[in-house]
Amino acid sequence: NAGVTQTPKFRVLKTGQSMTLLCAQDMNHEYMYWYRQDPGMGLRLIHYSVGEGTTAKGEVPDGYNVSRLKKQNFLLGLESAAPSQTSVYFCASSKGTGAYEQYFGPGTRLTVT
Amino acid sequence: GDSVTQMEGPVTLSEEAFLTINCTYTATGYPSLFWYVQYPGEGLQLLLKATKADDKGSNKGFEATYRKETTSFHLEKGSVQVSDSAVYFCALSPGGYNKLIFGAGTRLAVHP
C-alpha cells in the first residue's frame, strides 16, 4: 500500500517551459487536491477534484491546469512556468470532506529560473 | 473569510520540556479542526483532530481541545522528545466544503 505518490521529486525549469506533475493514490479516494507550500504561508489550495472527470479551482489556481481522467490519478500542469511558481507542491487525497483526514504525498520541489 | 493564525516559530525546547503551540481561527459555522505534522523531507500527516466544541483530540502524547468560546485549538505535549522536531500546522475545514485552510506552520526544534 503506497498511499499517495508524486512524480517527479525535484525539477528545475526555465521561465516559459511547461511541465506536468503526476499524483497517484491507491486508496480508492474520491477527493484529490493540489497544494503549494511557500515559506511562512502554510499550504494553499491550487485545484481539487471531487471525483473522476471533475476539477474545481482552489485559492490560487492562476497559471495551473489539472485533469482527473482516472480516479487514482490527478495531474497538475504548468503551461508557461514563471519564477513565482517556484515552490513545493503537495498532492493529497481523502475519502470525504469536512472531518475526513487528507493523506499527503511526499512533495515535488520545483524551481523556475 | 475563514483563516487560521499560529504562533510564529521557531520554538526551541530541551528534551522533556512542556510544549504549547497556539492556534486561533476565524470561521463561520462549525468547522472541523486539525493539527498536521511535517517531518523533514516528508509530506504532512494528520496528528489529531476535533470535530465539535469541547472535543479533545489526542495522539502520541499530543493533545488539543476545540474551544469555541475563544476560537482556539492549542497544541500541547507534556514532555517533548528529539523525535518531535518537525513543523506543525493547524488547519480548519469549513463545514461542508472541500478544502483545508492552513496556518503558516510552527517549526519545533527539540535538543537533547
Side-chain angles (χ1 to χ4, degrees), chain A residues 31 33 35 37 40-43 45 48 50 90 97-102 104-106, chain B residues 32 34 36 38 41-44 46 49 51 89 93 96-100 102-104:
Chain A
Y31 298 84
Y33 314 83
Y35 295 90
Q37 182 182 29
M41 300 185 73
L43 277 73
L45 182 65
Y48 64 97
V50 302
F90 288 99
T97 61
Y100 284 92
E101 175 181 358
Q102 290 189 16
F104 285 80
Chain B
S32 294
F34 305 81
Y36 279 81
Q38 183 180 30
E42 298 183 10
L44 281 69
L46 179 67
K49 70 178 182 182
T51 58
F89 291 92
S93 179
Y97 287 90
N98 303 310
K99 59 182 178 181
L100 277 174
F102 287 88

Side-chain angles (χ1 to χ4, degrees), chain B residues 42-105:
Chain B
E42 298 183 10
L44 281 69
Q45 55 186 272
L46 179 67
L47 181 59
L48 53 84
K49 70 178 182 182
T51 58
K52 61 183 187 296
D54 300 324
D55 266 3
K56 177 185 284 189
S58 62
N59 186 26
K60 300 181 181 179
F62 291 89
E63 293 183 340
T65 301
Y66 190 142
R67 301 287 189 200
K68 191 167 177 62
E69 64 275 13
T70 55
T71 61
S72 65
F73 193 53
H74 304 321
L75 183 68
E76 297 183 335
K77 186 176 186 183
S79 177
V80 293
Q81 306 300 312
V82 172
S83 57
D84 294 326
S85 298
V87 181
Y88 293 81
F89 291 92
C90 186
L92 71 84
S93 179
Y97 287 90
N98 303 310
K99 59 182 178 181
L100 277 174
I101 297 169
F102 287 88

Side-chain angles (χ1 to χ4, degrees), chain A residues 81-96:
Chain A
S84 60
Q85 294 177 304
T86 294
S87 188
V88 180
Y89 292 85
F90 288 99
C91 177
S93 70
S94 67
K95 186 176 180 180

